[in-house]
Amino acid sequence: MKKLWGGRFTKSAEEWVDEFGASISFDQELVEEDIEGSLAHVEMLSRCGIIEQEEAAQIQKGLKLLKEKSQEEGLPFSVKLEDIHLNLESLLTDEIGPVGGKLHTGRSRNDQVATDMHLYLKKQAAHVIKLIEELQAALLSQAEENVETLMPGYTHLQRAQPISFAHHLMAYFWMLERDKERYSENLKRINVSPLGAGALAGTTFPIDRELTASLLGFDDIYENSMDAVSDRDFILEFLSASSILMMHLSRFSEEIILWSSQEFRFIELDDSFATGSSIMPQKKNPDMAELIRGKTGRVYGNLVGLLTVLKGLPLAYNKDMQEDKEGMFDTVKTVIGSLKIFSGMVGSMTVNSEVMEKATKSDFSNATELADYLSGKGLPFREAHEIVGKLVLDCVNRGCFLSGLPMEVYKEASTLFEEDIYEVLDPRAAVARRNSQGGTGFAQIKKALEKAKGRLKDKAYS
Ligand code: ARG
């Protein structure tokens, strides 16, 4: 098969060399974007008088036909034609004859591929934002059901202070809100057109870059043609936002895995999001959460991979940049899959509120209450801390918790203690009292839920 760039060559590469250089096996993912970009380009060529209207109409008809064929039966791509751009151009020429060769006037594969990637990520980033919102909605409705559900809050994975389960869930809501902000910031830079930059230096044809940008729905155009074809920052930003999002999902996965263990039994995953063991009949494994935790690694890998590909590249286009695609496709697929699974998993899990609440009663997570009680009565907090620390030690030696210590012991420790300390020790009261802004107090949570609902309704970023 003759190469589209074959004029200067006297000998063709062997098949295995072609195969090494080809990207068609993966960049065919960009088939729709490539056609969309070409349609806009040819429209501009005709409106600027660079090709005849009749020729443009023929090319557009051919491109639309290829789009239909691609959707219906798929297109016959060839490794010999290297990538999606040359494959489509060759198929177009097969379809409409030599006039197909006019499509590439005033354009290079370098601005073409960059345009495809911008178009592709624009769609995908918007989709990711929508899926994050779905997960936020699932979290919000679980939180609304669980305002009154108590659980031990942890630091160092040691029981720290009692909290409402809704408060814990809503922490993830706000993490996801920041993820959304990152993707929407990213969208500003994705939404810029490199088309018309040519190979690197612009073109001699009287093209109209603003026109192609507006036909393709881009907000702006790259100022500098060399930057336009060399820039992959918008992909790096996407991979970076995705790495942070996956890190959040991975932390959440870890909690889901812990909570669904026999040691915790705080939640039970719905059967549709768990799997069994081929040998141990009793097992119900949180595979989906584990997989998401595991897949976080490949998303980080894709980010580091592309940063490394780009770090030593002189301007402008270098073939190394063909390596920008697989990691990006893989990240898109991983993030979309993980978000969908997460929404289903969180929305369908059963919360064992009695088990959680019981846990708040059989520990020392109410010790801060006592220290606050004493300092509320004027004792410096450091001294209060010391007294309560000793009481905890006393409990450990006796084998009881703070609510099990008799009044005499409290009186002996400090005369400031009165009978009401037993109410103070109640974890529900402890949660209710934490009414500082953004705290776990029930009144605060209700406010926070309203705020979150408003935020979701605004859909400020999509
Ligand atoms: N397949 C190439 C890529 O993905 C397209 C651009 C090729 N340009 C070139 N001059 N070889 O990067």
Side-chain angles (χ1 to χ4, degrees), residues 137-178:
L139 278 169
L140 199 55
S141 69
Q142 270 291 5
E144 281 182 312
E145 299 281 304
N146 287 288
V147 174
E148 302 287 330
T149 306
L150 300 188
M151 74 180 284
Y154 295 81
T155 63
H156 311 265
L157 200 58
Q158 305 288 324
R159 290 185 189 174
Q161 289 172 348
I163 54 168
S164 150
F165 185 47
H167 197 52
H168 196 129
L169 292 175
M170 289 308 287
Y172 284 101
F173 180 98
W174 293 108
M175 288 149 85
L176 291 167
E177 190 66 16
R178 291 194 295 276

Side-chain angles (χ1 to χ4, degrees), residues 23 27 82-85 108-110 113 232 317-319 321-325:
S23 53
D27 68 11
E82 203 179 318
D83 58 23
I84 185 66
H85 325 294
S108 152
R109 273 188 294 159
N110 297 348
V113 71
R232 296 295 181 268
Y317 179 83
N318 299 269
K319 182 78 166 180
M321 287 160 80
Q322 183 165 287
E323 288 293 307
D324 61 359
K325 291 177 196 58

Side-chain angles (χ1 to χ4, degrees), residues 208-334:
D208 183 345
R209 292 189 58 205
E210 306 277 355
L211 175 58
T212 44
S214 91
L215 288 171
L216 292 170
F218 287 123
D219 285 342
D220 209 345
I221 61 171
Y222 276 85
E223 291 294 336
N224 179 298
S225 63
M226 294 184 75
D227 183 33
V229 290
S230 310
D231 177 36
R232 296 295 181 268
D233 295 358
F234 65 106
I235 305 178
L236 287 173
E237 282 183 29
F238 181 86
L239 297 178
S240 153
S242 299
S243 295
I244 299 175
L245 167 69
M246 287 303 290
M247 178 271 288
H248 289 158
L249 296 185
S250 184
R251 292 181 78 169
F252 202 173
S253 293
E254 173 63 14
E255 300 209 283
I256 285 176
I257 293 161
L258 284 172
W259 293 341
S260 60
S261 70
Q262 279 302 305
E263 283 66 23
F264 278 80
R265 289 207 311 113
F266 284 1
I267 58 157
E268 182 167 348
L269 289 178
D270 190 74
D271 283 0
S272 48
F273 290 96
T275 54
S277 154
S278 57
I279 171 170
M280 298 162 283
Q282 83 286 7
K283 289 295 285 289
K284 185 168 171 185
N285 296 328
D287 279 27
M288 299 301 140
E290 292 171 80
L291 256 182
I292 290 168
R293 190 178 56 184
K295 282 178 187 290
T296 303
R298 66 200 291 160
V299 174
Y300 293 1
N302 293 335
L303 170 63
V304 176
L306 185 58
L307 281 168
T308 314
V309 164
L310 295 169
K311 74 178 270 293
L313 297 188
L315 297 183
Y317 179 83
N318 299 269
K319 182 78 166 180
D320 315 44
M321 287 160 80
Q322 183 165 287
E323 288 293 307
D324 61 359
K325 291 177 196 58
E326 285 159 292
M328 179 188 71
F329 295 143
D330 183 69
T331 298
V332 164
K333 196 169 135 219
T334 305

Side-chain angles (χ1 to χ4, degrees), residues 439-457:
T440 190
F442 300 115
Q444 279 299 324
I445 294 181
K446 283 178 191 144
K447 270 195 211 163
L449 287 174
E450 282 316 305
K451 189 160 190 184
K453 247 190 273 180
R455 194 59 87 86
L456 209 49
K457 226 184 273 149

Side-chain angles (χ1 to χ4, degrees), residues 79-124:
V79 173
K80 286 228 157 308
L81 287 162
E82 203 179 318
D83 58 23
I84 185 66
H85 325 294
L86 298 179
N87 267 277
L88 281 173
E89 192 181 322
S90 160
L91 289 168
L92 178 71
T93 311
D94 291 348
E95 210 64 70
I96 63 170
V99 65
K102 294 212 169 187
L103 168 63
H104 213 51
T105 315
R107 184 177 76 168
S108 152
R109 273 188 294 159
N110 297 348
D111 58 343
Q112 187 179 358
V113 71
T115 305
D116 291 4
M117 305 280 271
H118 278 271
L119 287 172
Y120 171 85
L121 265 193
K122 193 174 151 179
K123 274 183 230 163
Q124 302 301 338

Side-chain angles (χ1 to χ4, degrees), residues 62-88:
L63 286 169
K64 285 179 189 153
L65 200 73
L66 289 181
K67 186 173 169 183
E68 266 166 43
K69 278 196 183 167
S70 155
Q71 283 164 350
E72 280 156 22
E73 71 233 46
L75 294 170
F77 295 130
S78 158
V79 173
K80 286 228 157 308
L81 287 162
E82 203 179 318
D83 58 23
I84 185 66
H85 325 294
L86 298 179
N87 267 277
L88 281 173

